[in-house]
Amino acid sequence: MNFLAHIYLSGGNELITIGNFVADGVRGNKYKSYPIEIQAGIRLHREIDTFTDAHPIFRKCTKRLHKGYGHYSGVIVDIFFDHFLAKNWKQYSDRALKTYISDFYKSLNAHLDLIPVRFQKLTPLMIKDNWLLSYATIDGIQLILNGMNRKTKG
């Protein structure tokens, strides 16, 4: 769920960024059926997750939430970390967050045919509700967490 961080850490390559974004929807070696740059993005996503999941600060954060939220604690921490990235965006980029996200959405739409079906269905909802920009506000985080809560109760 830390979409914004994964997108940001992809650098400037459009297809690597898309691969990094959709990686959670690609299991095992199935990534090899994608174009080379998307494969690179999927591998980058996995490397980022391996690093962050083992990092002592991340583990400490998830441990604090684990009693109340179980295996969702990692997802919640990811969302919080995206919030801090969005909230402090000017420290990391000269481009306005709104512009950066808009450009990513355009890129994603231009390459919908290259991404897993699950993400093809998710993308219009994400863009309509502007999930990535919503990370910047507490109200936006509340909406994301409420949506997650609805999905996990069913």
Side-chain angles (χ1 to χ4, degrees):
M1 291 294 296
N2 52 342
F3 292 132
L4 186 59
H6 277 286
I7 293 163
Y8 175 74
L9 292 171
S10 296
N13 183 297
E14 189 174 32
L15 292 180
I16 288 175
T17 302
I18 290 170
N20 198 342
F21 170 70
V22 302
D24 283 334
V26 181
R27 300 288 172 227
N29 285 337
K30 291 182 181 176
Y31 77 94
K32 293 180 180 179
S33 66
Y34 290 90
I36 295 296
E37 291 172 307
I38 290 183
Q39 289 181 38
I42 293 168
R43 286 192 312 271
L44 175 61
H45 180 104
R46 292 174 179 179
E47 290 170 14
I48 291 167
D49 280 357
T50 297
F51 175 81
T52 56
D53 290 353
H55 197 282
I57 293 172
F58 183 84
R59 293 174 63 84
K60 185 176 182 180
C61 291
T62 58
K63 189 174 183 177
R64 287 182 177 192
L65 295 175
H66 197 269
K67 184 177 180 183
Y69 300 100
H71 67 276
Y72 294 108
S73 60
V75 175
I76 294 167
V77 171
D78 282 347
I79 292 168
F80 288 162
F81 284 3
D82 262 5
H83 168 69
F84 296 125
L85 174 58
K87 190 78 175 148
N88 299 292
W89 185 257
K90 290 179 183 177
Q91 294 178 25
Y92 302 99
S93 179
D94 293 334
R95 291 176 66 201
L97 179 61
K98 190 174 184 177
T99 303
Y100 182 85
I101 290 169
S102 177
D103 289 347
F104 172 70
Y105 289 155
K106 288 175 190 169
S107 172
L108 198 54
N109 272 326
H111 298 289
L112 274 178
D113 60 318
L114 296 177
I115 66 176
V117 173
R118 174 179 155 215
F119 281 86
Q120 289 176 10
K121 293 176 182 178
L122 178 77
T123 295
L125 300 171
M126 179 180 170
I127 293 170
K128 178 183 157 284
D129 293 335
N130 204 354
W131 292 0
L132 296 176
L133 191 59
S134 70
Y135 285 132
T137 67
I138 296 297
D139 288 341
I141 294 299
Q142 185 66 55
L143 289 172
I144 290 167
L145 292 173
N146 287 346
M148 193 174 100
N149 189 40
R150 279 191 305 277
K151 288 179 184 176
T152 58
K153 283 189 173 184

